[in-house]
């Protein structure tokens, strides 16, 4: 067993939270109990001395692809999706600040009354001061996803790893909620994920992480305490790395 009081393994990390992570048991929007619990998990990591940046998704409110399927122009629909991530970002900021965690929201799309514009050096400075920086607005460009935004911001912030909090505790050979003998992978390479189309993150995000040697850790954000455990290298997760 690793010593829980030992120095954290990471100096700076990026947490990717999908919009769905905020829904709890609901089918849409934000569940305040879920939001509060996620905020408390983040607080624990910050308290342990790890610098935390967060990229938040918007799928609990609006997805561009869904809008385009219903006949909207894809780019317009994607901008709506980016706005949804700002709503989630503000909700997460509120939940964190209620628990005494200092935060800043930076948006890839300027909205100066409610969020700072994205400025890389300023974001780094916030992290150095122990503030949680929530990146909203994705990459600021249509046709991208917040997974790609997560890989991009993690590379820009020189994060040690990208943690993706999902509904399950790693990457499986099949959907573990549907297939009883689905196997969880302990470790995969970026190419395994791309070649087998494992769908854990989109290909642009995986490629960007690969080019920048950014390890990705997939874990279950809904299991209480799991985030702190995976940060310590314990518990259940899948690591995606370059083969040694
Ligand atoms: N989006 C975009 N560009 C980006 C990031 C997001 O256009 O760089 C839009 C896209 O329409 C997407 C929506 O925002 O469907 C919500 O983001 P995402 O689906 O990645 O959220 P998540 O699945 O993580 O909740």
């Amino acid at each position: 067993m690793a010593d829980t009081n030992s120095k954290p393994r990471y100096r700076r990390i990026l947490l990717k939270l999908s919009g769905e992570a905020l829904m709890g048991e609901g089918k849409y929007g934000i569940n305040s109990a879920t939001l509060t619990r996620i905020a408390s998990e983040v607080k624990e990591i910050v308290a342990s001395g790890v610098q935390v940046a967060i990229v938040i998704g918007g799928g609990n409110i609006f997805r561009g692809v869904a809008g385009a399927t219903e006949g909207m122009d894809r780019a317009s629909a994607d901008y709506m999706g980016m706005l949804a991530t700002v709503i989630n970002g503000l909700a997460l900021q509120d939940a964190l600040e209620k628990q005494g965690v200092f935060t800043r929201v930076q948006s890839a799309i300027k909205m100066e009354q409610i969020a700072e514009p994205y400025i890389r050096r300023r974001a780094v400075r916030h992290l150095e001061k122990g503030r949680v920086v929530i990146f909203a607005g994705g990459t600021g460009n249509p046709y991208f996803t917040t997974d790609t935004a997560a890989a991009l911001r993690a590379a820009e912030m020189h994060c040690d790893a990208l943690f993706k909090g999902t509904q399950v505790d790693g990457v499986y050979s099949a959907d573990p909620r549907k297939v009883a003998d689905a196997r969880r992978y302990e470790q995969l390479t970026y190419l395994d994920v791309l070649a087998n189309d494992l769908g854990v993150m989109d290909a642009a995000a995986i490629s960007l992480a690969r080019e920048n040697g950014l390890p990705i850790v997939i874990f279950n954000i809904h299991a209480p305490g799991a985030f702190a455990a995976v940060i310590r290298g314990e518990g259940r997760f899948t690591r995606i790395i370059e083969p040694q």
Side-chain angles (χ1 to χ4, degrees):
M1 269 292 263
D3 176 7
T4 50
N5 294 318
S6 64
K7 278 188 76 184
R9 294 153 53 100
Y10 300 100
R11 184 182 64 94
R12 179 180 297 163
I13 59 122
L14 188 137
L15 171 65
K16 163 69 207 296
L17 282 176
S18 66
E20 279 174 10
L22 308 184
M23 291 193 314
E25 296 299 308
K27 296 223 175 314
Y28 180 83
I30 299 168
N31 176 287
S32 67
T34 306
L35 190 62
T36 303
R37 196 190 48 73
I38 291 175
S40 70
E41 308 252 339
V42 172
K43 179 182 179 170
E44 194 181 340
I45 306 304
V46 176
S48 74
V50 182
Q51 297 175 18
V52 181
I54 301 177
V55 165
I56 183 87
N60 56 324
I61 301 172
F62 193 82
R63 270 184 214 285
V65 178
T69 316
E70 285 168 21
M72 275 193 81
D73 177 74
R74 170 72 192 263
S76 298
D78 277 342
Y79 280 111
M80 290 172 67
M82 287 183 255
L83 293 179
T85 71
V86 179
I87 295 175
N88 285 335
L90 294 178
L92 187 59
Q93 174 174 48
D94 182 79
L96 283 164
E97 299 224 317
K98 280 213 178 85
Q99 299 190 28
V101 181
F102 295 107
T103 66
R104 293 289 185 273
V105 178
Q106 288 203 347
S107 173
I109 296 173
K110 271 197 197 169
M111 290 189 215
E112 286 172 32
Q113 282 79 3
I114 53 173
E116 291 182 1
Y118 173 64
I119 299 171
R120 191 183 73 86
R121 285 172 175 276
R122 200 163 175 189
V124 169
R125 193 78 194 104
H126 290 320
L127 292 171
E128 286 169 353
K129 288 183 177 169
R131 295 173 186 144
V132 172
V133 181
I134 301 165
F135 293 115
T139 63
N141 299 292
Y143 300 99
F144 285 92
T145 65
T146 52
D147 278 354
T148 303
L152 174 66
R153 296 292 185 244
E156 288 185 276
M157 295 297 118
H158 302 297
C159 290
D160 301 316
L162 191 174
F163 287 77
K164 179 167 172 170
T166 69
Q167 325 291 332
V168 287
D169 54 9
V171 183
Y172 281 77
S173 51
D175 186 343
R177 291 170 297 187
K178 292 179 190 150
V179 181
D181 60 355
R183 196 164 60 84
R184 182 172 59 84
Y185 301 107
E186 291 286 327
Q187 192 159 298
L188 291 166
T189 67
Y190 303 106
L191 279 183
D192 289 335
V193 177
L194 292 173
N196 299 304
D197 202 12
L198 290 176
V200 51
M201 279 184 127
D202 60 82
I206 298 287
S207 301
L208 198 53
R210 182 178 180 221
E211 275 165 30
N212 292 286
L214 176 74
I216 301 173
V217 182
I218 312 291
F219 72 101
N220 184 351
I221 190 68
H222 296 299
F227 188 26
V230 290
I231 292 274
R232 292 193 303 266
E234 298 165 11
R236 294 160 68 85
F237 54 86
T238 300
R239 260 168 73 85
I240 304 169
I241 53 166
E242 197 69 353
Q244 300 303 311

